[in-house]
């Protein structure tokens, strides 16, 4: 991602440092911190999901979250390797290829798996009959396999070219735009369903009039969780699309604006594991696990 040709990240690092841009140092520190904080949290989440399902296998509803945790873990490893590549005096082609491969796999898998999770939640809330029809584990395994195959196939092309090319950036932008559309639509329909009063929330009045009864606290809690996730996902996705679209347009954007946009997305890796640990009652701010 050089300022002139977009060749690779390591060249961008040295060019920006030579021109006195300190944001690249902050970007490297954010990557190191992401690895130190994200790796143990993600490993803990994977252990919680897998340890409780050793006898009967992973639960169908945990297929997509487990795959998402694995993708975020791959991203944390990529952050570590990229920081190591910054510190090396020589330019290691093998290390650079490994960074590119993990980078593209993680950034392609994430929006696709998040879209699968949102579609699953939409079916569970708005289309319960269809959700029960496809409740078996094999359907989720097939979808997860397709996502991984597409991501690995996409990652092989930039590796063969030995560099992060504009074609790879265009594909990633397209994938994120598709993810934004799917996630937004699913969350919108879910929020609309949750806002509608249930049978016990509407009471009949005189002359056939109706008035709003007590709101279900579980629906309100689900509404808040989905709305917060939607805001986080849309914010991070929009920043990624804007960052990649403006990359290499000038040295100022490549060395200052792009790293700041990516720093926000780097720390978004911690959102999913922290929310999962919170729901499981594993954080000190919450006492007692949630009954499932």
């Amino acid at each position: 991602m050089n300022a002139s040709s977009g060749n690779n990240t390591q060249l961008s690092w040295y060019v920006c440092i030579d021109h006195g841009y300190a944001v690249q140092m902050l970007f490297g520190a954010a990557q190191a911190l992401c690895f130190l904080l994200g790796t143990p949290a993600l490993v803990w989440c994977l252990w919680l999901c897998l340890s409780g399902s050793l006898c009967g296998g992973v639960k169908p509803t945990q297929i997509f979250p487990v795959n998402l945790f694995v993708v975020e873990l791959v991203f944390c490893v990529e952050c570590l390797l990229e920081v190591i590549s910054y510190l090396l005096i020589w330019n290691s082609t093998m290390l650079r290829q490994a960074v590119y491969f993990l980078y593209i796999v993680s950034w392609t898998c994430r929006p696709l798996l998040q879209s699968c999770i949102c579609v699953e939640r939409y079916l569970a809330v708005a289309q319960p009959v269809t959700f029960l029809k496809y409740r078996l584990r094999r359907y989720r395994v097939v979808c997860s396999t397709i996502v991984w195959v597409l991501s690995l196939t996409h990652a092989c092309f930039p590796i063969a070219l030995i560099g992060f090319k504009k074609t790879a950036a265009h594909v990633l932008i397209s994938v994120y735009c598709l993810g934004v559309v799917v996630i937004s639509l699913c969350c919108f329909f879910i929020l609309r369903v949750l806002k509608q009063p249930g049978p016990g929330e509407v009471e009949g009045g005189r002359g056939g009039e109706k008035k709003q009864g007590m709101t279900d606290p579980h629906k309100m809690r689900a509404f808040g969780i989905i709305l917060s996730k939607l805001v986080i996902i849309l914010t991070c996705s929009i920043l990624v699309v804007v960052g990649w679209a403006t990359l290499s347009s000038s040295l100022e954007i490549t060395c200052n604006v792009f790293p700041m946009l990516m720093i926000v997305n780097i720390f978004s890796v911690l959102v999913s594991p922290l929310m999962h640990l919170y729901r499981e009652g594993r954080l000190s701010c919450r006492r007692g696990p949630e009954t499932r």
Side-chain angles (χ1 to χ4, degrees):
M1 289 183 283
N2 184 271
S4 59
S5 61
N7 286 332
N8 58 67
T9 308
Q10 197 164 6
L11 286 179
S12 174
W13 170 269
Y14 292 118
V15 169
C16 295
I17 294 299
D18 291 340
H19 284 76
Y21 292 100
V23 180
Q24 286 288 336
M25 299 294 294
L26 183 61
F27 180 64
Q31 289 179 307
L33 188 61
C34 175
F35 173 79
L36 294 176
L37 297 179
T39 302
L42 290 167
V43 172
W44 193 3
C45 290
L46 287 173
W47 182 82
L48 290 175
C49 292
L50 299 177
S51 62
S53 308
L54 292 179
C55 298
V58 180
K59 297 178 181 179
T61 54
Q62 292 181 336
I63 295 294
F64 292 139
V66 166
N67 281 273
L68 184 59
F69 292 148
V70 173
V71 170
E72 304 291 18
L73 193 59
V74 170
F75 179 75
C76 290
V77 175
E78 183 271 328
C79 287
L80 175 64
L81 294 180
E82 192 164 359
V83 171
I84 293 176
S85 69
Y86 295 156
L87 302 178
L88 290 178
I89 299 177
W90 65 90
N91 191 4
S92 175
T93 303
M94 184 177 298
L95 180 59
R96 190 171 70 250
Q97 290 180 348
V99 169
Y100 292 150
F101 183 81
L102 297 179
Y103 181 91
I104 296 176
V105 168
S106 59
W107 286 72
T108 306
C109 265
R110 182 190 295 179
L112 295 179
L113 287 173
Q114 288 175 338
S115 300
C116 291
I117 293 175
C118 288
V119 171
E120 182 187 45
R121 299 295 186 266
Y122 163 74
L123 293 177
V125 174
Q127 304 291 335
V129 177
T130 305
F131 177 77
L132 292 176
K133 182 180 178 180
Y134 296 101
R135 68 182 184 276
L136 298 179
R137 185 186 295 111
R138 64 172 177 264
Y139 296 110
R140 295 170 175 83
V141 173
V142 170
C143 292
S144 301
T145 303
I146 293 175
V147 169
W148 280 103
V149 170
L150 291 176
S151 302
L152 293 173
T153 302
H154 176 214
C156 291
F157 290 102
I159 295 303
L161 296 174
I162 313 179
F164 186 88
K165 301 298 182 180
K166 291 184 178 180
T167 303
H170 293 159
V171 173
L172 288 175
I173 291 175
S174 302
V175 170
Y176 262 85
C177 289
L178 176 63
V180 168
V181 173
V182 174
I183 293 170
S184 301
L185 290 176
C186 291
C187 291
F188 171 76
F189 287 116
I190 291 174
L191 293 175
R192 190 178 68 172
V193 171
L194 292 176
K195 287 291 291 182
Q196 294 176 355
E201 298 174 352
V202 177
E203 300 176 358
R206 294 182 179 181
E209 297 178 356
K210 295 183 179 180
K211 62 180 180 180
Q212 183 71 31
M214 295 298 293
T215 304
D216 187 356
H218 297 288
K219 292 178 64 174
M220 291 301 298
R221 180 175 177 273
F223 183 89
I225 292 175
I226 294 175
L227 184 61
S228 62
K229 283 187 175 182
L230 176 62
V231 172
I232 293 173
I233 291 175
L234 289 182
T235 301
C236 296
S237 299
I238 291 174
L239 291 178
V240 169
V241 173
V242 172
W244 282 331
T246 58
L247 183 63
S248 300
S249 58
S250 67
L251 188 64
E252 178 72 23
I253 293 178
T254 301
C255 296
N256 261 347
V257 179
F258 181 78
M260 293 301 297
L261 296 178
M262 293 300 102
I263 286 175
V264 176
N265 201 274
I266 284 174
F267 286 109
S268 68
V269 174
L270 301 175
V271 174
S272 295
L274 289 179
M275 293 188 69
H276 182 78
L277 293 174
Y278 177 80
R279 290 195 301 268
E280 294 290 337
R282 303 291 177 168
L283 299 179
S284 58
C285 58
R286 174 162 184 173
R287 301 298 179 184
E290 181 181 88
T291 303
R292 289 178 175 266

